[in-house]
Amino acid sequence: MFDLPEIPYLLTLLVVLPLIGAIITLFMGNERAKYAKYTAATMSGITLILTFFLLLAKNLSVYSENYAWIESAGLKMSYILQIDGLSILMVFLTALLVFLVTIFSSHQEDKPNYFFALLLAMEVGLMGVYMSADYFLFYIMWEVTLIPMYFMISWFGGPRRHYAAIKFFIYTHVASLVMLIGIFAIAIQAAAGGVVDFSFAAVAIGASAFSSTFQIFVFGLLFFGFAVKMPIVPFHTWLPDAHTEAPTAGSVLLAAVMLKMGSYGIIRVCLEVLPDGAVWWQPAMVVIAIVAILYGAYACIAQKDLKKMVAFSSISHMGMVLLGIACLSEVGVEFAIFLMFAHGLITAVLFMTCGLAHDLFETREIPLLGGLAGKVPIYAAFMMFGFMASLGLPGLVGFWGEFGIIFAFYEYSFSINMIWLIIFCLMSLMLTAGYYLWAMQRSLFGKLTDKIETAHLRDINKSEAFALVIVCGLIALFGLWPDLALGYISDYTSSLVTLGVVI
Amino acid sequence: MNIDPTIISNIFGDFTPIAPMIIMILGALIMPAIYLSSKRRNLVTGAMLAVIIISIIINFVLLVGEYTGTYAELFTYDAFSGLMILLFQTVVFLVALVSAASTETTRLYYGAYSSLLLAATTGMMFVATAGDLLTIFLGVELVSISSYALVAMKRNDPRAAEAAVKYVIIGGISTALTIYGISMLYGVTGTTNIADIATVLSTDGFSWAFGIAMITIIAGYGFKIAAVPFHMWAPDVYEGAATPVSLFLATGSKKMGLVVFFKIFLVLFVAGSAVASFATVEMQYVFAIIAAITMTVGNVVAIAQPNIKRMLAYSSIAQAGYILIVMAVMSEYALTGGLFHMFTHVFMKGGAFLIVGALISVGIGEKISDYRGLAKRAPFVAFAMLLFLFSLAGIPPLAGFTSKFILFSSAIYGDGGVMTQWIWLAFIAILNSAISLYYYARVVKAMYIEKGETTDKIKIPNAFAVAIAICVVFVIILGIYPQLILDFCSNAAAALFA
């Protein structure tokens, strides 16, 4: 393709630029506050442009940075950033969505300097999680994402924001602590008496000597840590609250990028380091995934709040991602990663439109809405597009993820002679189509509602439309040309096959 | 760094191992004279700081120059005692810096206050160098008696009087138990030198008298570090005393108790290797259970505290519980983590107490509800408090996270990289960390999210601002660049185990 120059310290720049942006924005108080959005948009825009250098690079492995950080008392922690086929899409998604939600929220009136600083601070943590190749750094970045989100919810959220924020914080913090024990265990076991090196590479070398009992035990710890973040039923209860109360920008980042940290961790740590543990846990993962898919879908039907419905649909879709991973086959993991990316784009549209419902109609309650398509046609078009993409309409990006995962799951259920398991997947597709179409029918079509004031409704404004158009364009682009993303992913999954992690 | 300790030993000669203490004790003697002749609190504070800084410089040169020496076979200066002396000096520096600015000390007799503060620190420093049960005992008594007076000095406050009485009585019981245990040990072994006791015991083996002596010593010094079930006095005393004194007790006096534990039990059970053949595992279990109960009780009770000083007191109890993991694991790596955590604890807990003290000085109460809307009234103070509390809860990349990371991992990973049997202790510690986040987040919520009655700006005294800034800098630096102190910690641990 194009021949782009190699940029030195590119990966560090991707972490540092948002950090600098966050600090500058934070101090733009009082009368300068209205310029905060320009700083935020510039910094996140530059970060986004830099990710294109990664996307178009011929060889990703040249972008790797490694500096010793702490070497003392038998410990070795390093600052290592790396990028590969798994992380590159997540990095791109993060950069893209932070930029777009900054544009989308440019009408933020209340404390805009804090608002945009928090968005950029979140980008720092997310970029760090997806690029770090040292468990110590990984954990730090993992926790760094928590605090901005806590403040994002508790400063800018809805009426029950305090409860939702603290629940989100403590729930996910406990999970990360359990994950931390798992990290200790693998790093120490891999060191086998020598210096405990927390880098991914050192652990990968030591991992070949792990016994299966150890793998099974530690897989449990790590899986719990990641599953709460995904989230997987029954550890999902923080998510609907957090989403309902978070401001739109927070919801978008939470659903589109932060939840992916969970599935990213499962693939990156659980699968790569503990393959025997994965095989032992495979049936459990399949059951948990199916429960999550169906529970999420059923819960969606019962929801009255648009945002809460989308939150439960996220649970259902992340269950689908887990199902793909649980197949432990190349196709399964490949499309699980694809669905992570696809779901990131789709939920962005869903949360942007459903979040807008509150601004436009002053309510998100489905029973209070109705017949709005005629009043706000552009808004209705975007919402329909999002719903269609999410229910897996062929030609849009969501279709490929679900198609590939169901294919992989068919193979798996065939191999264990339990082909009837596939029924659950098909049920979930029907339920998903059902709740989306029903929600659409009740809120957008039919008789115009008389429960809210509809005389002076505004349709979406330019900056909101700009963000939505770009995401929708990408949904269509990757839907028609999935190979664009699959190219990166298959490089990574074929390396998993070489490792013997998946078949 | 290349620093030659002979600069110091040329001046002090044979007294070099106790040189930092000599300066301190001279300071303690001249403070009342300075106060009497000038009646100016700021002048006394300046003199106090000068004394402390000279003492810090001497100690720093000795520590970095890797000096080792013994004075009169009683006091040994090595990497371990040097590091602990530095810790106590840091604490007293922070306390001295804010003493004159705090309104809580205006009615104290300032000459005596400053003298007692320096005397207590000297006691702690002597404990750090002592290798003999009697010198440890004398050092601890010097600290105890000075701190009874420091607590009681806030004369017009009935809470302080109650706290002081409680402290004296509990302190008396603790002293009695300790001296009883020491005399039994002397009866069994015929010596009070810890290393010699280890040698005698390795030939004589276990006896019931020895067991009882161990229990009474644990109980006696358990009061000092406020380990559960010997913790009841701590919240009352910290609440009743003037905040700089609470700071001194929570970060200094408690660390001294831990140093005593390290000195007596680690030397007896691990370093004197032959003794390790008996009773070590039993002792480890005793300490593991004390550690688990201490951290759990501290954290759970802290949740219900409406008074921020009491909350910090209970959180101190919990932190002592974390450090007691060292006593359960008894490995060099664990001690490294423990020492590192003691240092980070000085800055994060010290910083939190400093903020409480600063706010009391400008008329804000001690209740968590009094902190509502603080982020608007004093943005930098609120942000510093947020850093300290998140650091205490162990949120990266702050100092508290890094030190807990090393400390807790030591319960999983023993010397030589083997898995230890204390992984359950690491689980309890980590769950406790999660519980603690709840009550720390409550304060953050009050400061940042709830609305206060007024939005008038607050200006805290400059001395407090400087001390808080020092703590903030270290909480951040030790979090991202722990090697600043970590190498000293691992040298110190190696020195104690040598």
Side-chain angles (χ1 to χ4, degrees), chain B residues 55-107:
Chain B
S55 175
I56 288 180
I57 291 172
I58 292 175
N59 181 46
F60 193 74
V61 171
L62 293 178
L63 182 64
V64 176
E66 298 184 350
Y67 174 84
T68 52
T70 304
Y71 173 72
E73 295 182 11
L74 289 176
F75 302 105
T76 310
Y77 188 99
D78 57 13
F80 178 82
S81 39
L83 188 71
M84 288 301 102
I85 289 175
L86 186 64
L87 180 105
F88 299 134
Q89 287 168 329
T90 317
V91 170
V92 78
F93 180 80
L94 290 175
V95 176
L97 191 56
V98 300
S99 288
S102 167
T103 51
E104 291 172 90
T105 60
T106 38
R107 315 218 13 185

Side-chain angles (χ1 to χ4, degrees), chain A residues 72-95:
Chain A
S72 190
L75 293 175
K76 183 170 190 290
M77 289 108 170
S78 324
Y79 172 85
I80 308 179
L81 295 181
Q82 265 172 16
I83 193 115
D84 65 4
L86 171 59
S87 41
I88 187 163
L89 289 176
M90 294 298 120
V91 167
F92 171 65
L93 197 62
T94 310

Side-chain angles (χ1 to χ4, degrees), chain B residues 142-224:
Chain B
L142 179 54
V143 179
S144 302
I145 292 165
S146 314
S147 33
Y148 301 151
L150 281 172
V151 173
M153 272 185 138
K154 209 177 155 193
R155 273 168 306 181
N156 50 340
D157 186 347
R159 283 191 311 174
E162 185 196 328
V165 171
K166 234 178 204 167
Y167 196 24
V168 170
I169 292 173
I170 298 276
I173 295 171
S174 129
T175 306
L177 281 172
T178 325
I179 199 75
Y180 183 60
I182 291 176
S183 53
M184 287 192 74
L185 263 188
Y186 182 73
V188 175
T189 58
T191 172
T192 51
N193 184 300
I194 300 171
D196 294 344
I197 292 176
T199 325
V200 175
L201 282 175
S202 63
T203 50
D204 289 6
F206 182 81
S207 62
W208 282 107
F210 172 73
I212 294 170
M214 284 297 106
I215 290 169
T216 51
I217 292 179
I218 293 177
Y221 289 124
F223 279 114
K224 279 278 162 278

